[in-house]
Amino acid sequence: MSSTLVTTMDSSPEQAQLLTSTDDAGISPWKDAFHRLLRNKIAVCGIVFLIVEVTACIVFPWFSRYSFETQNLEAALSPPSAQYWLGSDALGRDLLVRILYGGRISLMVGVLATFVTVLVGVVYGAVSGFLGGRTDNVMMRVVDALYALPFVFLVIILMVFFGRNIFLLFIALGLTQWLTMARIVRGQVISLKQKEFIEAAHSMGISNTAIVFRHLIPNSLGPVIVYLTLTIPEVILQEAFLSFLGLGVQAPMASWGTLIASGVGSMEVAPWLLIFPALVLSLTLFSLNFLGDGLRDALDPKGAKD
Amino acid sequence: MASSVPILAIRDLRAHFHTRRGIIKAVDGISFEIQKGETLAIVGESGSGKTVSQLSYLGLLPMPPLRIAGGQAFFHDTDLIKAGKDKLRAVRGDSISMIFQEPMTSLNPYLKIGTQLIEPLCLHRKLSKKEAWKVASESLEKVGIADAARTMHSYPHEFSGGMRQRVMIAMAITTKPEVLIADEPTTALDVTIQAQILELLGELKKETGMSIILITHDLGIVASVADKVLVMYGGKMMEEATAHELFSASSHPYTTALLKSTPRVDIPQEVLPVIGGSPPDLSKLSPGCPFYDRCALRLDACKETAPKPCSLSPSHRSFCHLETVQ
């Protein structure tokens, strides 16, 4: 906004007219934040890496000679070469393709579980913060109680009762991650509730539901988005952890977690089986963290240190 | 004017906050009436219950801690105190609108001005978005925003405080309310913008015939726009008069002290007279007059017994023992 303002002030009235008429729609705070984000180089690197990675995960396996389960026992444990770019595993499966297939799973788990987190956490937190008083107290004590619940147990119990199902994994991960989100949103809503525009909305006779969903939630989304970029890596890590324990995806399907787990086993004979999946996982987590950092600065320009 | 039926009649309104420290009688026995096209100013220091007196009968304060301990608030024939939440919601923003003190934060920063302006229209008038957009755009023009069509697509942060207050006023008048409650609408604005906003309110009143309840602590504003004035102190009524009567023949010692402490440009003053002491703790009020501790003309009776209203003219009432003694 500041840049347009400056140019409008410096330029002649005609130019100013021209300038303002080009962005007729007005600059929303979201657009503003996006422009600030694009000025942050390291965050942009993160975005580019994630885009490339997601595209590769989706597109590359279609064109590859190998599928994630194509075995070639004669080429077992071959180091990176022209034939197997990132080497092959003990069953002669191409590691690159397996990493990309694994990426599909890991990223999907990350995104979908986080989506569940946001859905549950935001609504729960917003309602709790908005209603306040005793209701808020009870709702937050429930969150506290759930915090105390060991999450691995919960997942194991779910897996044992309902079988190993990838969607169950999403839900289980989402359900254990929403607590912090709910707390963040509740805090936001409580502080926003005092703002004049909410008072004004009440004075205009707007219903409570509309106030929560049209005014309170959109205004608390900044921290939610930032936390979201931190939740995705956490969920990916937890999926990796569960897969490592053998509770995640099932062979021959792979996720980054299972790849790393099997890579650890053959670390001494075939280090590439550990190095490459671990590298991809770390780079993804870094990118998401940089993006989250960038978003935080972009969404809260006053708090950012230049 | 006084003979016609009032649009809004508040009778003996008592709004108390029940807190851990005890009962805070923020509003205790306020009565006023407002006719069509009239401007009523409510004056008092910070914490005298001006805002609570308005918000309470509109159901805009959380209950608990607020409890309406008594009184009626007739809007036409409906008692708003007894009306349910839905009924109140239908009245608010439709027939009774409000504008607030802080224009910088009174608009949702993430929504286009237009999106916010059409909200009351879609809700109360059941207009389609397109129709509402047109009506809202017209009311923006009415409040003196030149480029209304473009403003509708802008976001609040692109405007200054004065412009935002205009937008707030536009939002309040889109539904053509009968009563507009303006809670210190100019306190956060600089003096020139203040004058423009007041002028605008005056024009809108003339044009639409709506009544305005103006909450303020600026006696200059009262003198320039109000028809009637209600002076509040410590949650109680001190004096009620027409603006003319108040400035020419104020009777209550509090009003007189208040008037005296207004800076004057026409009289040379070395030191501005002030009212000594500080406003009372509303949770520890004695049954007598709340101004007792700071009153220069207090009598023994003031401490223990609440003063009865004393009519000085059909439109002028003072709540002071001095009047009854004389």
mmCIF file of all heavy atoms in Angstrom, chain A residues 1 20 24-30 196-197 199-200 202-207 214-215 218-219, chain B residues 60 89 92-93 100 102 105-110 115 119-120 123-124 150 153 155 157-158 171:
data_model
loop_
_atom_site.group_PDB
_atom_site.id
_atom_site.type_symbol
_atom_site.label_atom_id
_atom_site.label_comp_id
_atom_site.label_asym_id
_atom_site.label_seq_id
_atom_site.Cartn_x
_atom_site.Cartn_y
_atom_site.Cartn_z
ATOM 1 N N MET A 1 0.837 -1.199 0.000
ATOM 2 C CA MET A 1 0.000 0.000 0.000
ATOM 3 C C MET A 1 0.859 1.231 0.000
ATOM 4 O O MET A 1 0.607 2.190 -0.704
ATOM 5 C CB MET A 1 -0.907 0.014 1.224
ATOM 6 C CG MET A 1 -1.929 1.117 1.180
ATOM 7 S SD MET A 1 -2.701 1.365 2.778
ATOM 8 C CE MET A 1 -1.574 2.464 3.555
ATOM 9 N N THR A 20 -4.875 5.028 -9.933
ATOM 10 C CA THR A 20 -5.943 4.488 -9.090
ATOM 11 C C THR A 20 -6.976 3.745 -9.920
ATOM 12 O O THR A 20 -7.565 2.798 -9.448
ATOM 13 C CB THR A 20 -6.642 5.595 -8.299
ATOM 14 O OG1 THR A 20 -6.837 6.692 -9.164
ATOM 15 C CG2 THR A 20 -5.829 6.013 -7.091
ATOM 16 N N ASP A 24 -8.709 -0.756 -9.703
ATOM 17 C CA ASP A 24 -10.058 -0.341 -9.341
ATOM 18 C C ASP A 24 -10.581 -1.108 -8.140
ATOM 19 O O ASP A 24 -11.369 -0.594 -7.354
ATOM 20 C CB ASP A 24 -10.968 -0.614 -10.541
ATOM 21 C CG ASP A 24 -11.956 0.515 -10.725
ATOM 22 O OD1 ASP A 24 -11.901 1.486 -9.939
ATOM 23 O OD2 ASP A 24 -12.789 0.420 -11.612
ATOM 24 N N ALA A 25 -10.125 -2.355 -8.006
ATOM 25 C CA ALA A 25 -10.759 -3.237 -7.023
ATOM 26 C C ALA A 25 -10.344 -2.915 -5.593
ATOM 27 O O ALA A 25 -10.952 -3.398 -4.661
ATOM 28 C CB ALA A 25 -10.413 -4.676 -7.355
ATOM 29 N N GLY A 26 -9.334 -2.072 -5.427
ATOM 30 C CA GLY A 26 -8.870 -1.820 -4.060
ATOM 31 C C GLY A 26 -7.941 -2.933 -3.624
ATOM 32 O O GLY A 26 -8.038 -4.058 -4.093
ATOM 33 N N ILE A 27 -6.998 -2.596 -2.750
ATOM 34 C CA ILE A 27 -6.007 -3.594 -2.352
ATOM 35 C C ILE A 27 -6.436 -4.203 -1.027
ATOM 36 O O ILE A 27 -6.486 -3.514 -0.017
ATOM 37 C CB ILE A 27 -4.621 -2.951 -2.207
ATOM 38 C CG1 ILE A 27 -4.275 -2.215 -3.504
ATOM 39 C CG2 ILE A 27 -3.575 -3.998 -1.905
ATOM 40 C CD1 ILE A 27 -3.395 -1.021 -3.300
ATOM 41 N N SER A 28 -6.730 -5.473 -1.049
ATOM 42 C CA SER A 28 -7.134 -6.106 0.199
ATOM 43 C C SER A 28 -5.887 -6.371 1.037
ATOM 44 O O SER A 28 -4.785 -6.489 0.506
ATOM 45 C CB SER A 28 -7.851 -7.412 -0.093
ATOM 46 O OG SER A 28 -6.917 -8.437 -0.291
ATOM 47 N N PRO A 29 -6.057 -6.464 2.351
ATOM 48 C CA PRO A 29 -4.909 -6.759 3.210
ATOM 49 C C PRO A 29 -4.218 -8.062 2.815
ATOM 50 O O PRO A 29 -3.028 -8.214 2.994
ATOM 51 C CB PRO A 29 -5.520 -6.861 4.603
ATOM 52 C CG PRO A 29 -6.776 -6.079 4.518
ATOM 53 C CD PRO A 29 -7.265 -6.235 3.117
ATOM 54 N N TRP A 30 -4.988 -9.002 2.245
ATOM 55 C CA TRP A 30 -4.388 -10.277 1.820
ATOM 56 C C TRP A 30 -3.412 -10.053 0.672
ATOM 57 O O TRP A 30 -2.306 -10.574 0.666
ATOM 58 C CB TRP A 30 -5.465 -11.260 1.377
ATOM 59 C CG TRP A 30 -6.346 -11.712 2.491
ATOM 60 C CD1 TRP A 30 -7.695 -11.547 2.576
ATOM 61 C CD2 TRP A 30 -5.970 -12.418 3.694
ATOM 62 N NE1 TRP A 30 -8.159 -12.092 3.748
ATOM 63 C CE2 TRP A 30 -7.134 -12.629 4.449
ATOM 64 C CE3 TRP A 30 -4.753 -12.878 4.190
ATOM 65 C CZ2 TRP A 30 -7.133 -13.279 5.672
ATOM 66 C CZ3 TRP A 30 -4.747 -13.532 5.417
ATOM 67 C CH2 TRP A 30 -5.922 -13.725 6.147
ATOM 68 N N GLU A 196 -14.080 -2.510 17.874
ATOM 69 C CA GLU A 196 -15.298 -1.765 17.561
ATOM 70 C C GLU A 196 -16.106 -2.369 16.416
ATOM 71 O O GLU A 196 -17.313 -2.287 16.404
ATOM 72 C CB GLU A 196 -14.966 -0.309 17.223
ATOM 73 C CG GLU A 196 -15.053 0.627 18.393
ATOM 74 C CD GLU A 196 -13.735 0.721 19.116
ATOM 75 O OE1 GLU A 196 -12.810 -0.033 18.746
ATOM 76 O OE2 GLU A 196 -13.624 1.532 20.051
ATOM 77 N N PHE A 197 -15.406 -2.950 15.423
ATOM 78 C CA PHE A 197 -16.200 -3.409 14.284
ATOM 79 C C PHE A 197 -17.075 -4.599 14.641
ATOM 80 O O PHE A 197 -18.104 -4.825 14.000
ATOM 81 C CB PHE A 197 -15.342 -3.676 13.035
ATOM 82 C CG PHE A 197 -14.402 -4.834 13.113
ATOM 83 C CD1 PHE A 197 -14.811 -6.096 12.751
ATOM 84 C CD2 PHE A 197 -13.100 -4.644 13.512
ATOM 85 C CE1 PHE A 197 -13.939 -7.162 12.800
ATOM 86 C CE2 PHE A 197 -12.208 -5.706 13.568
ATOM 87 C CZ PHE A 197 -12.630 -6.968 13.212
ATOM 88 N N GLU A 199 -18.452 -4.808 17.706
ATOM 89 C CA GLU A 199 -19.519 -4.089 18.410
ATOM 90 C C GLU A 199 -20.484 -3.483 17.390
ATOM 91 O O GLU A 199 -21.703 -3.559 17.518
ATOM 92 C CB GLU A 199 -18.874 -2.979 19.242
ATOM 93 C CG GLU A 199 -19.660 -2.555 20.456
ATOM 94 C CD GLU A 199 -18.912 -1.446 21.201
ATOM 95 O OE1 GLU A 199 -17.673 -1.478 21.247
ATOM 96 O OE2 GLU A 199 -19.584 -0.552 21.711
ATOM 97 N N ALA A 200 -19.891 -2.902 16.334
ATOM 98 C CA ALA A 200 -20.707 -2.298 15.286
ATOM 99 C C ALA A 200 -21.581 -3.352 14.618
ATOM 100 O O ALA A 200 -22.753 -3.102 14.326
ATOM 101 C CB ALA A 200 -19.817 -1.621 14.255
ATOM 102 N N HIS A 202 -22.710 -6.087 15.953
ATOM 103 C CA HIS A 202 -23.805 -6.377 16.888
ATOM 104 C C HIS A 202 -24.860 -5.290 16.794
ATOM 105 O O HIS A 202 -26.056 -5.566 16.780
ATOM 106 C CB HIS A 202 -23.284 -6.432 18.330
ATOM 107 C CG HIS A 202 -22.643 -7.737 18.684
ATOM 108 N ND1 HIS A 202 -23.341 -8.915 18.706
ATOM 109 C CD2 HIS A 202 -21.387 -8.037 19.020
ATOM 110 C CE1 HIS A 202 -22.520 -9.893 19.052
ATOM 111 N NE2 HIS A 202 -21.325 -9.379 19.246
ATOM 112 N N SER A 203 -24.395 -4.042 16.741
ATOM 113 C CA SER A 203 -25.351 -2.933 16.755
ATOM 114 C C SER A 203 -26.160 -2.886 15.472
ATOM 115 O O SER A 203 -27.186 -2.233 15.399
ATOM 116 C CB SER A 203 -24.628 -1.606 16.970
ATOM 117 O OG SER A 203 -24.135 -1.122 15.741
ATOM 118 N N MET A 204 -25.666 -3.573 14.421
ATOM 119 C CA MET A 204 -26.440 -3.615 13.179
ATOM 120 C C MET A 204 -27.387 -4.795 13.149
ATOM 121 O O MET A 204 -28.056 -5.039 12.152
ATOM 122 C CB MET A 204 -25.499 -3.676 11.981
ATOM 123 C CG MET A 204 -24.871 -2.341 11.687
ATOM 124 S SD MET A 204 -23.936 -2.364 10.172
ATOM 125 C CE MET A 204 -22.651 -3.480 10.562
ATOM 126 N N GLY A 205 -27.408 -5.531 14.231
ATOM 127 C CA GLY A 205 -28.365 -6.626 14.325
ATOM 128 C C GLY A 205 -27.913 -7.885 13.614
ATOM 129 O O GLY A 205 -28.718 -8.753 13.312
ATOM 130 N N ILE A 206 -26.627 -8.003 13.332
ATOM 131 C CA ILE A 206 -26.129 -9.185 12.636
ATOM 132 C C ILE A 206 -26.062 -10.351 13.618
ATOM 133 O O ILE A 206 -25.692 -10.186 14.779
ATOM 134 C CB ILE A 206 -24.761 -8.867 12.017
ATOM 135 C CG1 ILE A 206 -24.981 -7.888 10.876
ATOM 136 C CG2 ILE A 206 -24.077 -10.118 11.510
ATOM 137 C CD1 ILE A 206 -23.767 -7.173 10.437
ATOM 138 N N SER A 207 -26.450 -11.536 13.119
ATOM 139 C CA SER A 207 -26.547 -12.681 14.025
ATOM 140 C C SER A 207 -25.172 -13.148 14.476
ATOM 141 O O SER A 207 -24.166 -12.893 13.815
ATOM 142 C CB SER A 207 -27.271 -13.827 13.326
ATOM 143 O OG SER A 207 -26.429 -14.361 12.333
ATOM 144 N N ARG A 214 -18.186 -14.453 9.466
ATOM 145 C CA ARG A 214 -17.840 -13.399 8.501
ATOM 146 C C ARG A 214 -16.812 -12.415 9.053
ATOM 147 O O ARG A 214 -16.027 -11.851 8.299
ATOM 148 C CB ARG A 214 -19.088 -12.613 8.096
ATOM 149 C CG ARG A 214 -19.890 -13.271 7.009
ATOM 150 C CD ARG A 214 -21.142 -12.481 6.752
ATOM 151 N NE ARG A 214 -20.869 -11.174 6.190
ATOM 152 C CZ ARG A 214 -20.605 -10.971 4.903
ATOM 153 N NH1 ARG A 214 -20.561 -11.988 4.093
ATOM 154 N NH2 ARG A 214 -20.394 -9.767 4.445
ATOM 155 N N HIS A 215 -16.862 -12.180 10.353
ATOM 156 C CA HIS A 215 -15.998 -11.128 10.885
ATOM 157 C C HIS A 215 -14.872 -11.658 11.761
ATOM 158 O O HIS A 215 -13.752 -11.214 11.652
ATOM 159 C CB HIS A 215 -16.831 -10.110 11.669
ATOM 160 C CG HIS A 215 -17.803 -9.375 10.799
ATOM 161 N ND1 HIS A 215 -17.410 -8.406 9.926
ATOM 162 C CD2 HIS A 215 -19.136 -9.490 10.656
ATOM 163 C CE1 HIS A 215 -18.460 -7.934 9.282
ATOM 164 N NE2 HIS A 215 -19.522 -8.581 9.711
ATOM 165 N N PRO A 218 -12.320 -14.689 9.648
ATOM 166 C CA PRO A 218 -11.382 -14.139 8.658
ATOM 167 C C PRO A 218 -10.311 -13.251 9.276
ATOM 168 O O PRO A 218 -9.177 -13.237 8.814
ATOM 169 C CB PRO A 218 -12.285 -13.322 7.731
ATOM 170 C CG PRO A 218 -13.623 -13.923 7.883
ATOM 171 C CD PRO A 218 -13.714 -14.390 9.292
ATOM 172 N N ASN A 219 -10.648 -12.555 10.344
ATOM 173 C CA ASN A 219 -9.673 -11.680 10.960
ATOM 174 C C ASN A 219 -8.649 -12.416 11.809
ATOM 175 O O ASN A 219 -7.628 -11.855 12.169
ATOM 176 C CB ASN A 219 -10.371 -10.631 11.815
ATOM 177 C CG ASN A 219 -10.750 -9.436 10.991
ATOM 178 O OD1 ASN A 219 -9.904 -8.638 10.623
ATOM 179 N ND2 ASN A 219 -12.019 -9.336 10.642
ATOM 180 N N LEU B 60 -27.000 -4.698 23.922
ATOM 181 C CA LEU B 60 -25.650 -4.772 23.358
ATOM 182 C C LEU B 60 -24.585 -5.016 24.411
ATOM 183 O O LEU B 60 -23.408 -5.001 24.111
ATOM 184 C CB LEU B 60 -25.327 -3.484 22.598
ATOM 185 C CG LEU B 60 -25.969 -3.381 21.214
ATOM 186 C CD1 LEU B 60 -25.790 -2.002 20.636
ATOM 187 C CD2 LEU B 60 -25.391 -4.424 20.283
ATOM 188 N N ARG B 89 -32.713 -7.799 17.762
ATOM 189 C CA ARG B 89 -31.796 -7.853 16.634
ATOM 190 C C ARG B 89 -32.454 -7.267 15.393
ATOM 191 O O ARG B 89 -31.790 -6.647 14.562
ATOM 192 C CB ARG B 89 -31.387 -9.302 16.386
ATOM 193 C CG ARG B 89 -30.166 -9.418 15.517
ATOM 194 C CD ARG B 89 -29.705 -10.843 15.401
ATOM 195 N NE ARG B 89 -29.028 -11.299 16.590
ATOM 196 C CZ ARG B 89 -29.138 -12.537 17.068
ATOM 197 N NH1 ARG B 89 -29.907 -13.412 16.480
ATOM 198 N NH2 ARG B 89 -28.492 -12.868 18.150
ATOM 199 N N ARG B 92 -32.315 -3.395 15.949
ATOM 200 C CA ARG B 92 -30.961 -2.844 15.847
ATOM 201 C C ARG B 92 -30.491 -2.851 14.406
ATOM 202 O O ARG B 92 -30.609 -3.827 13.697
ATOM 203 C CB ARG B 92 -29.981 -3.717 16.640
ATOM 204 C CG ARG B 92 -30.054 -3.585 18.109
ATOM 205 C CD ARG B 92 -28.755 -4.030 18.738
ATOM 206 N NE ARG B 92 -28.361 -5.366 18.315
ATOM 207 C CZ ARG B 92 -28.506 -6.452 19.066
ATOM 208 N NH1 ARG B 92 -29.031 -6.368 20.255
ATOM 209 N NH2 ARG B 92 -28.112 -7.621 18.642
ATOM 210 N N GLY B 93 -29.927 -1.752 13.999
ATOM 211 C CA GLY B 93 -29.396 -1.683 12.653
ATOM 212 C C GLY B 93 -30.466 -1.463 11.620
ATOM 213 O O GLY B 93 -30.185 -1.214 10.464
ATOM 214 N N PHE B 100 -20.010 4.728 16.223
ATOM 215 C CA PHE B 100 -19.128 4.645 17.377
ATOM 216 C C PHE B 100 -18.019 5.681 17.334
ATOM 217 O O PHE B 100 -17.799 6.358 16.349
ATOM 218 C CB PHE B 100 -18.531 3.246 17.484
ATOM 219 C CG PHE B 100 -19.559 2.205 17.763
ATOM 220 C CD1 PHE B 100 -20.193 1.536 16.730
ATOM 221 C CD2 PHE B 100 -19.927 1.923 19.061
ATOM 222 C CE1 PHE B 100 -21.165 0.594 16.989
ATOM 223 C CE2 PHE B 100 -20.888 0.974 19.331
ATOM 224 C CZ PHE B 100 -21.508 0.311 18.291
ATOM 225 N N GLU B 102 -14.681 5.244 17.580
ATOM 226 C CA GLU B 102 -13.372 4.957 17.000
ATOM 227 C C GLU B 102 -13.507 4.536 15.539
ATOM 228 O O GLU B 102 -13.639 3.367 15.246
ATOM 229 C CB GLU B 102 -12.767 3.825 17.832
ATOM 230 C CG GLU B 102 -11.282 3.750 17.987
ATOM 231 C CD GLU B 102 -10.539 5.062 17.976
ATOM 232 O OE1 GLU B 102 -10.376 5.695 19.033
ATOM 233 O OE2 GLU B 102 -10.090 5.436 16.880
ATOM 234 N N THR B 105 -11.190 1.640 13.900
ATOM 235 C CA THR B 105 -11.337 0.202 14.135
ATOM 236 C C THR B 105 -12.783 -0.268 14.021
ATOM 237 O O THR B 105 -13.095 -1.392 14.358
ATOM 238 C CB THR B 105 -10.813 -0.173 15.545
ATOM 239 O OG1 THR B 105 -11.473 0.670 16.494
ATOM 240 C CG2 THR B 105 -9.336 0.016 15.653
ATOM 241 N N SER B 106 -13.657 0.605 13.526
ATOM 242 C CA SER B 106 -15.062 0.220 13.455
ATOM 243 C C SER B 106 -15.418 -0.530 12.186
ATOM 244 O O SER B 106 -16.556 -0.904 11.987
ATOM 245 C CB SER B 106 -15.959 1.451 13.569
ATOM 246 O OG SER B 106 -15.843 1.994 14.855
ATOM 247 N N LEU B 107 -14.446 -0.706 11.306
ATOM 248 C CA LEU B 107 -14.713 -1.451 10.075
ATOM 249 C C LEU B 107 -13.825 -2.689 10.047
ATOM 250 O O LEU B 107 -12.685 -2.645 10.484
ATOM 251 C CB LEU B 107 -14.425 -0.576 8.852
ATOM 252 C CG LEU B 107 -15.395 0.578 8.633
ATOM 253 C CD1 LEU B 107 -14.784 1.625 7.727
ATOM 254 C CD2 LEU B 107 -16.693 0.086 8.062
ATOM 255 N N ASN B 108 -14.378 -3.751 9.509
ATOM 256 C CA ASN B 108 -13.627 -4.990 9.398
ATOM 257 C C ASN B 108 -12.534 -4.821 8.339
ATOM 258 O O ASN B 108 -12.836 -4.598 7.179
ATOM 259 C CB ASN B 108 -14.588 -6.109 8.997
ATOM 260 C CG ASN B 108 -13.912 -7.462 8.953
ATOM 261 O OD1 ASN B 108 -12.693 -7.562 8.831
ATOM 262 N ND2 ASN B 108 -14.703 -8.507 9.048
ATOM 263 N N PRO B 109 -11.255 -4.935 8.756
ATOM 264 C CA PRO B 109 -10.168 -4.635 7.808
ATOM 265 C C PRO B 109 -10.094 -5.583 6.617
ATOM 266 O O PRO B 109 -9.494 -5.251 5.616
ATOM 267 C CB PRO B 109 -8.910 -4.748 8.672
ATOM 268 C CG PRO B 109 -9.311 -5.550 9.850
ATOM 269 C CD PRO B 109 -10.751 -5.249 10.085
ATOM 270 N N TYR B 110 -10.696 -6.760 6.736
ATOM 271 C CA TYR B 110 -10.544 -7.744 5.671
ATOM 272 C C TYR B 110 -11.695 -7.749 4.667
ATOM 273 O O TYR B 110 -11.679 -8.518 3.731
ATOM 274 C CB TYR B 110 -10.380 -9.148 6.263
ATOM 275 C CG TYR B 110 -9.006 -9.356 6.838
ATOM 276 C CD1 TYR B 110 -8.783 -9.294 8.203
ATOM 277 C CD2 TYR B 110 -7.925 -9.565 6.000
ATOM 278 C CE1 TYR B 110 -7.506 -9.447 8.718
ATOM 279 C CE2 TYR B 110 -6.651 -9.719 6.510
ATOM 280 C CZ TYR B 110 -6.445 -9.670 7.863
ATOM 281 O OH TYR B 110 -5.188 -9.819 8.370
ATOM 282 N N THR B 115 -18.984 -4.603 0.849
ATOM 283 C CA THR B 115 -19.462 -5.842 1.457
ATOM 284 C C THR B 115 -20.016 -5.581 2.855
ATOM 285 O O THR B 115 -20.991 -6.185 3.276
ATOM 286 C CB THR B 115 -18.307 -6.853 1.548
ATOM 287 O OG1 THR B 115 -17.566 -6.793 0.330
ATOM 288 C CG2 THR B 115 -18.807 -8.247 1.765
ATOM 289 N N GLU B 119 -24.410 -5.337 4.351
ATOM 290 C CA GLU B 119 -24.811 -6.326 5.350
ATOM 291 C C GLU B 119 -26.154 -6.006 6.014
ATOM 292 O O GLU B 119 -27.050 -6.847 6.003
ATOM 293 C CB GLU B 119 -23.714 -6.479 6.401
ATOM 294 C CG GLU B 119 -23.201 -7.881 6.473
ATOM 295 C CD GLU B 119 -22.039 -8.047 7.439
ATOM 296 O OE1 GLU B 119 -21.407 -7.040 7.836
ATOM 297 O OE2 GLU B 119 -21.765 -9.177 7.790
ATOM 298 N N PRO B 120 -26.313 -4.791 6.593
ATOM 299 C CA PRO B 120 -27.616 -4.516 7.213
ATOM 300 C C PRO B 120 -28.771 -4.517 6.220
ATOM 301 O O PRO B 120 -29.882 -4.907 6.567
ATOM 302 C CB PRO B 120 -27.420 -3.130 7.849
ATOM 303 C CG PRO B 120 -26.184 -2.575 7.274
ATOM 304 C CD PRO B 120 -25.351 -3.707 6.823
ATOM 305 N N LEU B 123 -29.756 -8.016 5.430
ATOM 306 C CA LEU B 123 -30.312 -8.656 6.615
ATOM 307 C C LEU B 123 -31.713 -8.135 6.931
ATOM 308 O O LEU B 123 -32.651 -8.904 7.122
ATOM 309 C CB LEU B 123 -29.371 -8.383 7.788
ATOM 310 C CG LEU B 123 -29.718 -9.044 9.100
ATOM 311 C CD1 LEU B 123 -29.324 -10.506 9.035
ATOM 312 C CD2 LEU B 123 -28.982 -8.361 10.239
ATOM 313 N N HIS B 124 -31.867 -6.802 6.971
ATOM 314 C CA HIS B 124 -33.129 -6.246 7.447
ATOM 315 C C HIS B 124 -34.118 -5.988 6.322
ATOM 316 O O HIS B 124 -35.314 -6.145 6.487
ATOM 317 C CB HIS B 124 -32.873 -4.944 8.196
ATOM 318 C CG HIS B 124 -32.061 -5.122 9.440
ATOM 319 N ND1 HIS B 124 -32.507 -5.845 10.512
ATOM 320 C CD2 HIS B 124 -30.834 -4.681 9.774
ATOM 321 C CE1 HIS B 124 -31.569 -5.839 11.462
ATOM 322 N NE2 HIS B 124 -30.552 -5.142 11.027
ATOM 323 N N ARG B 150 -16.268 3.561 -6.553
ATOM 324 C CA ARG B 150 -14.948 2.999 -6.317
ATOM 325 C C ARG B 150 -14.726 2.706 -4.834
ATOM 326 O O ARG B 150 -14.106 1.716 -4.468
ATOM 327 C CB ARG B 150 -13.871 3.966 -6.819
ATOM 328 C CG ARG B 150 -12.638 3.270 -7.336
ATOM 329 C CD ARG B 150 -11.727 4.275 -8.016
ATOM 330 N NE ARG B 150 -11.233 5.260 -7.069
ATOM 331 C CZ ARG B 150 -10.219 5.034 -6.247
ATOM 332 N NH1 ARG B 150 -9.596 3.881 -6.276
ATOM 333 N NH2 ARG B 150 -9.820 5.946 -5.409
ATOM 334 N N HIS B 153 -15.558 -0.621 -3.527
ATOM 335 C CA HIS B 153 -14.626 -1.725 -3.776
ATOM 336 C C HIS B 153 -13.335 -1.597 -2.983
ATOM 337 O O HIS B 153 -12.438 -2.411 -3.128
ATOM 338 C CB HIS B 153 -14.287 -1.792 -5.266
ATOM 339 C CG HIS B 153 -15.405 -2.371 -6.078
ATOM 340 N ND1 HIS B 153 -15.666 -3.715 -6.124
ATOM 341 C CD2 HIS B 153 -16.342 -1.776 -6.844
ATOM 342 C CE1 HIS B 153 -16.711 -3.932 -6.894
ATOM 343 N NE2 HIS B 153 -17.145 -2.772 -7.348
ATOM 344 N N TYR B 155 -10.868 -1.032 0.526
ATOM 345 C CA TYR B 155 -10.763 -1.611 1.863
ATOM 346 C C TYR B 155 -10.563 -0.487 2.875
ATOM 347 O O TYR B 155 -10.025 0.568 2.539
ATOM 348 C CB TYR B 155 -9.601 -2.599 1.908
ATOM 349 C CG TYR B 155 -9.902 -3.862 1.167
ATOM 350 C CD1 TYR B 155 -9.681 -3.943 -0.203
ATOM 351 C CD2 TYR B 155 -10.465 -4.946 1.812
ATOM 352 C CE1 TYR B 155 -9.995 -5.104 -0.906
ATOM 353 C CE2 TYR B 155 -10.771 -6.098 1.126
ATOM 354 C CZ TYR B 155 -10.535 -6.178 -0.239
ATOM 355 O OH TYR B 155 -10.855 -7.321 -0.906
ATOM 356 N N HIS B 157 -8.458 0.243 5.155
ATOM 357 C CA HIS B 157 -7.146 0.844 5.424
ATOM 358 C C HIS B 157 -6.756 1.887 4.387
ATOM 359 O O HIS B 157 -5.771 2.583 4.547
ATOM 360 C CB HIS B 157 -6.078 -0.245 5.503
ATOM 361 C CG HIS B 157 -5.798 -0.926 4.203
ATOM 362 N ND1 HIS B 157 -4.557 -0.978 3.635
ATOM 363 C CD2 HIS B 157 -6.621 -1.550 3.335
ATOM 364 C CE1 HIS B 157 -4.625 -1.621 2.481
ATOM 365 N NE2 HIS B 157 -5.863 -1.984 2.289
ATOM 366 N N GLU B 158 -7.536 1.968 3.306
ATOM 367 C CA GLU B 158 -7.211 2.961 2.291
ATOM 368 C C GLU B 158 -7.810 4.329 2.613
ATOM 369 O O GLU B 158 -7.721 5.245 1.807
ATOM 370 C CB GLU B 158 -7.692 2.460 0.918
ATOM 371 C CG GLU B 158 -6.994 1.171 0.501
ATOM 372 C CD GLU B 158 -7.576 0.536 -0.751
ATOM 373 O OE1 GLU B 158 -7.242 0.998 -1.831
ATOM 374 O OE2 GLU B 158 -8.373 -0.406 -0.644
ATOM 375 N N MET B 171 -23.190 3.534 6.711
ATOM 376 C CA MET B 171 -23.660 2.208 7.077
ATOM 377 C C MET B 171 -24.858 2.298 8.018
ATOM 378 O O MET B 171 -25.812 1.539 7.907
ATOM 379 C CB MET B 171 -22.528 1.421 7.739
ATOM 380 C CG MET B 171 -22.842 -0.050 7.835
ATOM 381 S SD MET B 171 -21.574 -1.035 8.619
ATOM 382 C CE MET B 171 -20.106 -0.556 7.843
#
